[in-house]
Each structure stands twice: as structure tokens, then as C-alpha cells.
Amino acid sequence: MTYATDLKPLGPVDTTVRKAQATLDELWAQTNVETRAYTGNMIALTVKRHLGRVQEALAGLEGRYAGRQIIGVMDGTDDLTVHAALVPQTGGLYVERLTLEASPEQLQGAILPLIRPATVNHVWWGADSRPEGTLLAELTEIADQVIVDSLTLDVPPSRHYALADLGWSRSAGWREALAQLFDSPDAARQLGRVTHLTVRHAGKKDLPARLFAGFIASTLGWTDLSTVDFRLGRCGRENGDLCGVELRGDGVHFSLKAEQGDITLAACHWDDVQRVTEVTVPSMTLAQGLARVMARPERGEVFERAWALAKETL
């Protein structure tokens, strides 16, 4: 990675695993850059159908967290192909990108030699299907952070690496907005009266909503999600994003409801108290979600409690 201006893409150039570093060196020579800074490795595993989305998300990282990107396309041809490139990023950065297409078995032996040593390793499972074989398991052995849809893939939190869930990361704004509802001491005193919860989500993907519900339930001291309803919302946000939440009980009602744009309506009602205000809960792109989990790891114990409660509902 190097800071520069008016950068042009260099590559992709066909190469091999053995010659990949030499090919990258040749590309660097065309930049007339004398020094390079390496911030880490991002190993993204995906399939052809999602390759464009993965490339777009990685481009949005601006090279701040991983100076080398290794994309493994798991439904490639029978013959392993390797493409090397220097990709310009927003902000005047070059990032090394190695794209491999092969079967998971072939990728297993090809990716490890390409990982730059002595840096942080981020492993991202960028596919909807569950992993087959030992490719993901092998990479988690050398990973500092594993980024997955943890409920879909049934990847539990581990002490060996930091587990990051993109659905959890992208709900950060909602968790912060919910906490603001109870900033005042008189509102916080009503939490013990809450007995039911409804979470609304956009599209069919409800796993981020289940994690969000697990977070609320664990905060309230609930032992399960038996009094939680998950409902489809229509708020114009991406599939899986949250649309709103309601906390109810005898004489109490607290809610967040997504309106147009990034505006969310926040309402509190108990006894003779009624409060309505607007807060900002911006939607988060895939690239922004990736950047957040790489730059600001979540508190592990909070996520683990939410994950355990959400997992019981599947």
C-alpha cells in the first residue's frame, strides 16, 4: 500500500502461486514507489455470483486495514488461475489484489503461500452457502479475525480468533439509538416492566434481527426469546437490515421506527409520560460494515450472549 494521487489500475496480470510475488513486484516497479507499507491480509472466500459484490466492498475499504487482498473464488475452473493487480483506492492508495479461481480443495493449498507473514489476517466468508470441506477451518487456524454470517454458517464465537458478524456490525446504529431511549433515569427505571419485544426487518433475511433481539433480551436478563416476534418491515432498506423495534409491557411502550432516509422515529410511553423525537440511524453498506468490524471490534461478551440466545431460535 502506498499513498499517491491520480493512480491508475495496474493489471490484472495472469500469474501462478509461485510467481505471484514476482508479478506484484513488477507491477510495483511501474509505480516508481520506493517504500511500501503493509497493514494486513484480507482473505475473502466467495463464488462467482457474489464476486462483483465482494470486489466492490473491498474497494470501499480504502486499503486502511489490509494492504493485500486475496480473493478465492470457490467455483472456478478445474485448473487453478491466479490474477495479480494493484488496485487504486479512494484516498490515493494502492492495494495488492490476488484473485484465485479454483475448487475449494485447490484453493486450500494455494492461498496459504500467498499470505504476507507478520501481519494481521482477516478472513471473510463472502458467500451465502455453508462451507464444505476444510478450507474455512484451515484458514481460521491462522486468522486473527473471522468475518462471517455466524448464524447461517453455525460458526460459534472462539477464543482463538475474533469473530465478527456483519449483521451484528450493521445493527450498531440501532443498538446505539435504543440505548439513547433509556438515557434518562426515569425511562431506565421502566425496563423492568418490559415483557414483550417485536423486531421488524427488511427482506427475508431475519438473522441480524435475531442477533439484535438477543442483544436486547440479554441486556434485560431474559433467558430466551420466547416473547419475541420477528416481522417483515417495509422501510426501503437492504435485505436483512432492521426497520424497527418495539418493547412492550403493562403500561409501557418504547419503539424505534425507520422513516425516510436515515431518520428514525423514537417514541416512549409509560403512565402519563409521552416522548417522541427523531434520531439518525444511517443504513450501512457492505463496505462500511466491513470497515467497522475491522477497525472497531465489538465487545466479545456482549456479542456472545446475543449469539447464544439467537442460536436457540433456529
Side-chain angles (χ1 to χ4, degrees):
M1 182 182 72
T2 180
Y3 291 89
T5 56
D6 299 325
L7 299 179
K8 297 180 180 180
L10 296 175
V13 177
D14 292 344
T15 185
T16 64
V17 172
R18 180 177 296 181
K19 297 180 180 179
Q21 184 59 57
T23 303
L24 287 171
D25 290 340
E26 292 172 1
L27 293 175
W28 277 113
Q30 299 177 38
T31 68
N32 297 317
V33 173
E34 296 182 0
T35 59
R36 313 173 199 172
Y38 297 100
T39 51
N41 299 295
M42 163 58 87
I43 302 110
L45 303 173
T46 189
V47 293
K48 291 179 180 178
R49 183 162 61 96
H50 297 311
L51 179 58
R53 184 187 68 169
V54 168
Q55 290 173 326
E56 181 182 0
L58 292 179
L61 293 178
E62 302 178 3
R64 289 172 293 179
Y65 313 105
R68 173 169 291 186
Q69 301 173 355
I70 303 172
I71 304 176
V73 183
M74 298 177 290
D75 55 349
T77 61
D78 292 336
D79 296 325
L80 172 67
T81 62
V82 183
H83 306 288
L86 294 184
V87 183
Q89 307 282 282
T90 303
L93 299 169
Y94 263 135
V95 169
E96 297 178 349
R97 178 176 292 173
L98 295 166
T99 304
L100 292 71
E101 294 190 15
S103 66
E105 293 76 16
Q106 290 171 309
L107 289 175
Q108 188 169 329
I111 290 177
L112 290 179
L114 299 176
I115 296 175
R116 183 168 291 279
T119 56
V120 176
N121 296 321
H122 307 272
V123 176
W124 173 29
W125 184 268
D128 292 334
S129 57
R130 296 173 63 91
E132 297 180 0
T134 60
L135 176 59
L136 181 60
E138 181 173 289
L139 289 175
T140 58
E141 289 298 316
I142 53 89
D144 297 285
Q145 182 183 52
V146 176
I147 305 169
V148 295
D149 185 339
S150 58
L151 290 176
T152 296
L153 303 183
D154 194 17
V155 178
S158 169
R159 300 303 177 193
H160 172 64
Y161 51 77
L163 179 65
D165 188 290
L166 285 174
W168 174 260
S169 173
R170 293 171 69 182
S171 72
W174 287 91
R175 283 180 272 132
E176 293 166 2
L178 185 62
Q180 292 176 21
L181 280 182
F182 301 98
D183 272 348
S184 62
D186 58 345
R189 285 194 293 269
Q190 312 308 315
L191 281 171
R193 300 168 64 180
V194 174
T195 56
H196 291 79
L197 174 65
T198 298
V199 182
R200 301 181 188 275
H201 56 89
K204 296 181 179 179
K205 187 176 182 180
D206 66 354
L207 298 180
R210 293 181 185 276
L211 279 174
F212 184 55
F215 160 72
I216 298 173
S218 65
T219 302
L220 294 174
W222 296 358
T223 58
D224 57 47
L225 303 186
S226 59
T227 58
V228 179
D229 293 324
F230 299 97
R231 297 181 182 177
L232 188 64
R234 292 179 174 84
C235 58
R237 301 203 174 195
E238 292 186 20
N239 182 26
D241 283 351
L242 298 175
C243 287
V245 60
E246 299 174 47
L247 293 81
R248 306 181 308 280
D250 186 15
V252 297
H253 186 274
F254 300 90
S255 66
L256 294 171
K257 181 182 179 182
E259 299 289 329
Q260 291 187 346
D262 294 338
I263 299 300
T264 297
L265 192 66
C268 304
H269 171 72
W270 71 89
D271 300 334
D272 58 349
V273 177
Q274 291 195 46
R275 297 171 184 165
V276 179
T277 186
E278 291 183 348
V279 296
T280 300
V281 182
S283 56
M284 191 178 294
T285 66
L286 184 57
Q288 290 170 333
L290 272 176
R292 181 183 175 90
V293 299
M294 295 172 75
R296 299 168 55 187
E298 303 281 357
R299 291 173 54 195
E301 65 274 13
V302 176
F303 171 71
E304 289 176 16
R305 290 196 299 267
W307 188 92
L309 289 175
K311 183 62 181 176
E312 291 178 357
T313 67
L314 300 178

